[in-house]
Amino acid sequence: MNCKIERIYPASPASDAEVNIETVTIISPQGNTHTIRAYRENASALREYVSLLKLIE
């Protein structure tokens, strides 16, 4: 949807054993800021998704 990733917390990739919460801040094309917070299994899925997006860019 043409959103840009502004911030990922924690910044460094971590294993599921180390991090149970992942926070991603994105900016929409209209300039709106959105924060996505994922817990446990969803944090792992969100990290994988962000990694794929970085490969595409």
Side-chain angles (χ1 to χ4, degrees):
M1 291 187 262
N2 298 327
C3 292
K4 301 256 182 201
I5 297 172
E6 180 179 69
R7 182 178 155 204
I8 301 171
Y9 182 81
S12 62
S15 71
D16 291 335
E18 297 170 350
V19 176
N20 284 325
I21 301 172
E22 184 80 16
T23 305
V24 177
T25 303
I26 60 171
I27 300 176
S28 69
Q30 296 80 16
N32 299 327
T33 302
H34 304 277
T35 301
I36 301 168
R37 182 167 283 165
Y39 300 92
R40 296 188 180 96
E41 304 87 31
N42 293 331
S44 175
L46 183 59
R47 280 193 298 278
E48 289 177 25
Y49 180 72
V50 168
S51 295
L52 289 174
L53 286 179
K54 287 184 178 183
L55 290 174
I56 293 171
E57 293 178 349

